[in-house]
């Protein structure tokens, strides 16, 4: 059994919320991170997450929710986002975001692809596939940064691992608005 | 104003936003007099130009990023434009750093100042910030780049000239989206115009207070002559592309004393 | 490639254009009476419906594709919408085929008719085509899909209900595209109303020829009010559609009961 329209809208809306949150997190870090190489790493990726949010938001408008509809994730998962944003230093920001958080997000996108009907929900599938195409490039930029700034020392070497563990512990990340399969009206 | 106490600094009697984060390798200064710049195209002058431009692009990136953070309820399409700007300015800063290194320069080789950040981040509304940062500073950059790319080309450096041309194309889009949005926001709420006017007046006051005067010298002894103090030639075509009205361009031309590339008789003069 | 529509058609060429190409697995007929119209409860009813609907979706896809090709100067937003509709309808074809084959049917098992494509072939304006295809045919489909989804859900056929659910969301977007274009054009040129009225009249005449002898005798479902509002119909338009639908259903019931006493 696949997902109802409302469940799809809620999942896509949650992914949109996350994308906007990540865009804002990177934007917040741009002026407050001293290293120029880190600034430009974050700065370039602000646009990637804005585009992800935009595409997901256009899709929510097709799934009988409002266009650019965002749904705040489940409380536990939101705390993970806050933890990512609270990184104490430049390397923790980079490692927590790219090594700790994004792989978990990637798994959740793949989970959606596995859960939804590939044909009936093809527009969502294509958007997520494009996002999944972008993520390795972001990771590549992160690796290039590490090579450029091998001189930097972490304040907390275990940060990324802890972020990854926190994210993995939150199985549910979507708060469905109502029981599934009742009505098409949103 | 949005800046809380402790987030500000006082420069020449003017309250400005405290500087954004910079690495220890940089010497951050507060006035033009503390900067090191040369009017010619000698190797050291070239490196300094790239170095200064790199920091200005960082500042533009940081300002747009802060607008995303400070105004989360802004219409989504405008947030998208700001996000795109962050990314563009980031690329520019990166390109300039690369070019600086190719010319044997390095980060921190010259002092830097964060004047645009200091002024723009004192404004508490987005239309005001767009008016100052995009419509004034970035539009000024359009003029500067219009002249500079030719100087680099004349100096035989096509690589830098081509790079500046690419940057110029992006800056036009940043100024254009600000022009469009200020117009749209003003149509929706005429009070926006007042905010824009107040922002521009604030900038005028700061400029009056801090701009170098004739006879002042910078950190390497170069004098601020009357000619150096004048605005660069107005890049009419690119300002048009950025959707300034003919009247606005004419006004800028008047203020610039017609040091423009404008053919005689155009713009109704 | 074989074109099954090459056989001469008895339909009036003033009202019906050429049919779309079909390969030789298909038997193409002209009118509803030539289709295999099975009674409710028949064991093949659902398979025949999937087969018929698969071809209808193909016609809608072909209509969107043709409009894209034939109106290159249309506003880009509309052209993008048509391209999107084309892709959506292609998915719908595949969804119906998947269901048909999963439930023991096969391509070409029943006759098909291409009236939607042929009627639109004689409409020479994009706004007229979208008024007919997106605002009329698709809006009717929306009502039917809403009913069918709820029916399938009640019967525990979630696979089918989910498919209708997904398609209904797509159709809302297509109808909105038609509504937006009609509204834009009317605002720019009020005489567009005449163009649309002429197109709708012509389509109604053609439609009546296709379904002469039955096919519109449906009284099961009414107007999907919420979905139509969501698709950009005005409350007045929806209200008018409800009134017309109620009257039509009452007439069908009356005919079905031989004009007898109503309980």
């Amino acid at each position: 059994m696949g997902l109802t329209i409302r469940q799809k809208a809620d999942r896509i809306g949650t992914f949109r919320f996350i994308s906007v949150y990540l865009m804002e997190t990177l934007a917040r870090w741009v002026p407050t991170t001293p290293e120029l190489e880190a600034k430009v790493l974050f700065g370039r990726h602000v646009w990637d997450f804005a585009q992800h949010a935009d595409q997901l938001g256009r899709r929510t408008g097709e799934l009988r929710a409002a266009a650019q509809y965002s749904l705040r994730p489940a409380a536990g998962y939101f705390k993970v986002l806050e933890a990512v944003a609270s990184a104490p230093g430049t390397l923790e920001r980079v490692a927590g975001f790219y090594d700790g958080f994004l792989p978990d997000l990637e798994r959740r996108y793949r989970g959606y692809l596995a859960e939804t009907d590939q044909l009936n929900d093809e527009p969502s599938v294509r958007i997520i596939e494009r996002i999944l195409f972008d993520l390795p490039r972001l990771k590549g930029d992160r690796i290039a940064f590490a090579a450029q700034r091998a001189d930097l020392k972490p304040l907390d070497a275990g940060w990324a691992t802890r972020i990854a563990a926190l994210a993995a512990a939150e199985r549910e990340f979507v708060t469905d608005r109502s029981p599934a399969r009742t009505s098409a009206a949103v | 104003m949005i800046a809380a106490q402790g987030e500000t600094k006082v420069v020449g009697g003017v309250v400005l936003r405290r500087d954004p984060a910079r690495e220890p390798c940089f010497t951050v200064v507060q006035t033009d007099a503390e900067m090191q710049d040369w009017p010619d195209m000698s190797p050291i002058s070239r490196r300094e130009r790239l170095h200064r431009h790199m920091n200005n692009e960082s500042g533009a990136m940081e300002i747009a990023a802060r607008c995303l953070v400070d105004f989360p309820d802004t219409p989504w399409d405008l947030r998208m434009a700001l996000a795109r700007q962050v990314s563009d300015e980031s690329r520019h800063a990166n390109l300039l750093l690369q070019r600086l290194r190719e010319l044997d320069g390095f980060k921190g080789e010259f002092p830097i100042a964060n004047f645009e950040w200091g002024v723009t981040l004192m404004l508490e509304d987005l239309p005001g910030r767009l008016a100052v940062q995009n419509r004034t500073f970035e539009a000024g950059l359009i003029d500067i780049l219009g002249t500079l790319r030719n100087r680099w080309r004349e100096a035989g450096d096509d690589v830098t000239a081509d790079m500046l041309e690419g940057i110029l194309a992006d800056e036009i889009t940043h100024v254009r989206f600000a022009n469009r949005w200020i117009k749209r926001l003003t149509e929706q709420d005429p009070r926006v115009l007042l905010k824009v006017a107040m922002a521009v007046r604030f900038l005028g006051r700061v400029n009056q207070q801090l701009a170098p005067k004739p006879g002042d010298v910078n950190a390497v002894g170069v004098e601020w002559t009357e000619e150096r103090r004048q605005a660069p030639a107005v890049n009419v075509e690119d300002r048009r592309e950025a959707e300034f009205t003919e009247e606005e361009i004419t006004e800028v031309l008047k203020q610039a004393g017609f040091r423009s590339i404008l053919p005689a008789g155009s713009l109704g003069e | 490639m074989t074109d099954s529509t090459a056989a001469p058609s008895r339909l009036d060429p003033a009202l019906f254009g050429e049919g779309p190409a079909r390969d030789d697995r298909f038997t193409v007929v002209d009118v509803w009476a030539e289709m295999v119209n099975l009674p409710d409860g028949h064991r093949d009813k659902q398979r025949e419906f999937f087969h018929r609907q698969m071809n209808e979706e193909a016609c809608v896809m072909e209509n969107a594709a043709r409009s894209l090709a034939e109106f290159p100067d249309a506003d880009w937003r509309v052209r993008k919408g048509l391209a999107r509709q084309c892709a959506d309808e292609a998915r719908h074809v595949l969804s119906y085929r998947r269901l048909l084959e999963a439930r023991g049917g096969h391509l070409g098992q029943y006759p098909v008719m291409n009236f939607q494509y042929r009627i639109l072939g004689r409409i020479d304006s994009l706004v007229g085509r979208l008024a007919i295809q997106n605002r009329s045919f698709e809006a009717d489909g929306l009502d039917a899909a809403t009913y069918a989804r709820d029916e399938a859900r009640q019967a525990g056929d979630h696979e089918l209900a989910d498919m209708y659910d997904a398609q209904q969301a797509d159709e809302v977007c297509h109808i909105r595209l038609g509504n937006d274009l009609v509204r834009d054009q009317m605002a720019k040129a009020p005489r567009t109303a005449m163009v649309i009225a002429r197109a709708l009249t012509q389509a109604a005449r053609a439609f009546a020829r296709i379904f002469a002898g039955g096919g519109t005798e449906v009284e099961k479902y009414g107007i999907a009010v919420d979905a139509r509002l969501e698709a950009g119909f005005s409350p007045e338009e929806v209200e008018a559609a409800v009134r017309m639908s109620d009257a039509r259903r009452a007439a069908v019931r009356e005919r079905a009961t031989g004009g007898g006493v109503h309980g």
Side-chain angles (χ1 to χ4, degrees):
Chain A
M1 212 156 60
L3 299 166
T4 63
I5 286 295
R6 182 175 284 206
Q7 287 172 320
K8 286 175 198 163
D10 285 352
R11 277 156 181 69
I12 298 293
T14 306
F15 281 130
R16 183 182 188 275
F17 183 101
I18 295 165
S19 298
V20 173
Y21 192 96
L22 297 180
M23 174 190 82
E24 289 174 346
T25 299
L26 292 178
R28 201 169 276 116
W29 288 349
V30 164
T32 54
T33 303
E35 294 78 9
L36 184 63
E37 293 82 357
K39 273 184 200 294
V40 298
L41 174 77
F42 299 149
R44 285 164 72 194
H45 295 170
V46 162
W47 177 233
D48 285 293
F49 289 104
Q51 286 180 93
H52 297 169
D54 191 58
Q55 287 158 13
L56 293 163
R58 286 170 199 267
R59 181 63 182 146
T60 57
E62 297 166 357
L63 291 169
R64 312 196 66 183
Q68 304 299 347
Y69 160 71
S70 279
L71 183 64
R72 191 186 173 91
Y77 189 81
F78 186 74
K79 283 193 179 133
V80 180
L81 287 172
E82 289 182 314
V84 173
S86 71
T90 300
L91 279 192
E92 288 71 26
R93 286 178 171 183
V94 172
F97 193 93
Y98 295 96
D99 307 338
F101 184 76
L102 285 190
D104 179 80
L105 180 62
E106 185 177 334
R107 270 193 297 279
R108 289 176 200 269
Y109 277 126
R110 291 193 192 286
Y112 183 89
L113 294 184
E115 199 177 12
T116 198
D117 186 304
Q118 299 283 307
L119 193 55
N120 289 341
D121 195 21
E122 189 181 42
S124 308
V125 171
R126 291 285 167 266
I127 290 166
I128 290 173
E129 282 174 349
R130 283 176 203 138
I131 292 171
L132 290 173
F133 179 81
D134 281 348
L135 293 182
R137 175 172 50 78
L138 270 51
K139 180 79 176 174
D141 291 343
R142 178 261 180 281
I143 292 167
F145 163 79
Q148 287 166 345
R149 296 306 306 257
D151 57 310
L152 295 175
K153 300 276 178 290
L155 301 172
D156 180 347
W159 180 263
T161 311
R162 286 208 302 286
I163 292 289
L166 280 175
E170 297 301 324
R171 226 177 133 261
E172 294 301 326
F173 71 116
V174 179
T175 317
D176 284 321
R177 282 169 294 169
S178 69
R181 300 180 198 288
T182 49
S183 154
V186 175
Chain B
M1 296 293 164
I2 206 167
Q5 218 172 10
E7 291 182 350
T8 56
K9 62 184 181 186
V10 179
V11 180
V14 181
V15 180
L16 298 176
R17 187 68 169 235
R18 217 171 57 190
D19 294 285
R22 289 288 178 272
E23 295 170 81
C25 67
F26 287 108
T27 304
V28 180
V29 300
Q30 303 301 334
T31 62
D32 282 331
E34 297 167 278
M35 292 292 281
Q36 298 175 2
D37 57 315
W38 295 265
D40 57 21
M41 290 297 280
S42 61
I44 195 169
S45 173
R46 292 186 196 199
R47 291 201 306 276
E48 195 281 330
R49 286 170 191 274
L50 291 170
H51 192 273
R52 182 160 25 110
H53 192 171
M54 174 188 78
N55 188 60
N56 285 345
E57 295 288 348
S58 285
M61 166 178 72
E62 291 164 322
I63 291 167
R66 275 305 300 257
C67 289
L68 274 178
V69 174
D70 290 344
F71 306 106
D73 298 329
T74 300
W76 175 246
D77 286 350
L78 176 50
R79 298 195 88 198
M80 282 288 285
L82 286 165
R84 174 58 190 266
Q85 187 183 354
V86 175
S87 173
D88 287 344
E89 311 293 15
S90 154
R91 274 190 299 108
H92 300 166
N94 217 5
L95 282 166
L96 287 154
L97 175 59
Q98 276 174 29
R99 189 65 189 143
L100 175 68
R101 283 178 173 153
E102 284 164 9
L103 298 185
D104 296 325
F106 55 90
K107 280 190 303 180
E109 188 176 4
F110 305 98
I112 53 168
N114 301 305
F115 177 72
E116 298 178 4
W117 164 275
V119 174
T120 310
L121 266 286
M122 288 304 289
L123 300 165
E124 65 180 353
D125 56 90
L126 186 53
R129 288 193 191 176
L130 290 176
V132 167
Q133 172 60 23
N134 295 51
R135 261 180 68 92
T136 309
F137 291 139
E138 298 250 325
L141 188 57
I142 287 180
D143 297 338
I144 292 169
L145 287 174
T147 306
L148 261 188
R149 67 178 161 182
N150 298 337
R151 280 196 80 179
W152 282 92
R153 216 176 284 289
E154 282 160 14
D157 187 342
D158 286 330
V159 174
T160 304
D162 289 346
M163 181 185 72
L164 295 182
E165 193 130 312
I167 292 175
L168 173 61
D170 290 337
E171 302 302 354
I172 290 171
T173 67
H174 305 158
V175 179
R176 185 163 51 207
F177 89 71
N179 274 330
R180 285 182 182 173
W181 272 100
I182 288 174
K183 192 170 171 220
R184 196 180 302 179
L185 294 170
T186 306
E187 280 164 4
Q188 286 165 7
D189 179 4
R191 283 173 302 182
V192 166
L193 209 53
L194 186 66
K195 291 177 180 170
V196 169
M198 284 170 64
V200 172
R201 207 167 67 179
F202 173 66
L203 173 64
R205 275 207 316 271
V206 176
N207 269 334
Q208 204 174 24
Q209 198 93 354
L210 301 182
K213 293 169 184 56
D216 286 356
V217 289
N218 71 9
V220 288
V222 176
E223 188 181 336
W224 279 96
T225 60
E226 194 59 59
E227 193 193 345
R228 282 192 76 207
R229 286 179 70 250
Q230 279 190 340
V234 181
N235 186 346
V236 174
E237 283 193 6
D238 290 335
R239 275 188 180 251
R240 268 200 196 114
E241 220 175 302
E243 297 187 2
F244 277 99
T245 64
E246 299 291 291
E247 292 74 22
E248 286 170 326
I249 296 172
T250 306
E251 186 54 37
V252 177
L253 284 169
K254 278 179 186 160
Q255 288 174 17
F258 292 90
R259 291 173 65 247
S260 73
I261 54 174
L262 176 74
S266 61
L267 286 171
E269 291 297 322
Chain C
M1 189 179 72
T2 309
D3 184 352
S4 300
T5 61
S9 168
R10 288 157 289 135
L11 294 173
D12 179 359
L15 292 177
F16 297 93
E18 292 293 313
R22 289 286 178 274
D23 67 49
D24 55 14
R25 283 172 296 181
F26 290 98
T27 304
V28 180
V29 300
D30 279 341
V31 295
W32 178 84
E34 295 170 320
M35 295 287 280
V36 174
N37 299 306
L38 301 169
D40 283 349
H42 190 285
R43 66 187 176 89
D44 289 342
K45 175 88 175 170
Q46 193 181 53
R47 273 199 294 271
E48 195 283 327
F49 174 75
F50 292 155
H51 191 273
R52 181 187 299 229
Q53 207 53 32
M54 176 187 68
N55 189 64
E56 295 299 334
E57 299 286 350
C59 284
V60 185
M61 169 184 72
E62 289 162 324
N63 274 335
R66 181 171 55 180
S67 291
L68 200 52
E70 291 182 358
F71 298 97
D73 298 328
D75 183 75
W76 173 246
R77 196 174 48 82
V78 177
R79 302 196 80 203
K80 200 171 142 201
L82 285 168
R84 174 58 190 269
Q85 184 178 4
C86 196
D88 287 344
E89 308 297 1
R91 281 189 294 107
H92 298 174
V93 172
L94 292 171
S95 292
Y96 276 114
R97 180 175 181 176
R98 185 172 69 179
L99 272 172
L100 172 74
E101 292 176 345
R103 297 183 187 199
H106 62 269
L107 244 56
Q109 189 171 2
Y110 305 99
V112 293
M113 57 177 176
N114 301 315
F115 73 96
Q116 296 197 47
Y117 185 87
R118 298 190 61 188
I119 290 175
L120 251 67
R122 284 288 175 260
I123 304 298
D124 58 7
S125 64
L126 181 57
V127 72
R129 286 189 186 180
L130 287 183
I132 295 167
Q133 178 70 61
N134 294 42
R135 270 175 60 94
S136 303
F137 292 159
E138 297 262 303
D140 287 345
L142 193 63
D143 302 334
T146 303
Y147 174 82
R149 182 203 57 205
D150 294 344
E151 192 181 52
R153 191 79 73 207
Q154 271 170 15
D157 190 345
H158 292 300
E159 184 191 22
L160 181 56
D162 287 348
M163 188 196 71
Y164 286 135
D165 208 17
Q167 289 189 3
Q168 193 193 38
D170 293 336
E171 305 301 4
V172 165
C173 298
H174 305 158
I175 298 166
R176 203 181 284 148
L177 173 73
N179 277 326
D180 287 349
L181 178 70
V182 166
R183 210 161 285 143
D184 280 3
Q185 298 279 304
M186 298 266 273
K188 282 181 195 155
R191 64 175 295 277
T192 304
M194 295 296 293
V195 175
I196 292 172
R198 204 167 48 237
L200 287 172
T201 307
Q202 186 177 319
R205 280 174 57 210
F207 194 79
R209 305 248 174 118
I210 296 294
F211 288 97
T216 54
E217 299 290 282
V218 179
E219 56 105 6
K220 282 195 289 193
Y221 58 85
I223 297 297
V225 172
D226 289 346
R228 278 188 180 239
L229 286 171
E230 205 179 323
F233 282 106
S234 70
E236 296 74 25
E237 285 173 322
V238 174
E239 205 182 306
V242 169
R243 271 201 311 276
M244 285 164 67
S245 169
D246 287 349
R248 180 177 55 77
R249 292 162 74 197
V252 170
R253 272 197 301 273
E254 193 165 315
R255 280 195 292 279
T257 56
V261 179
H262 300 290

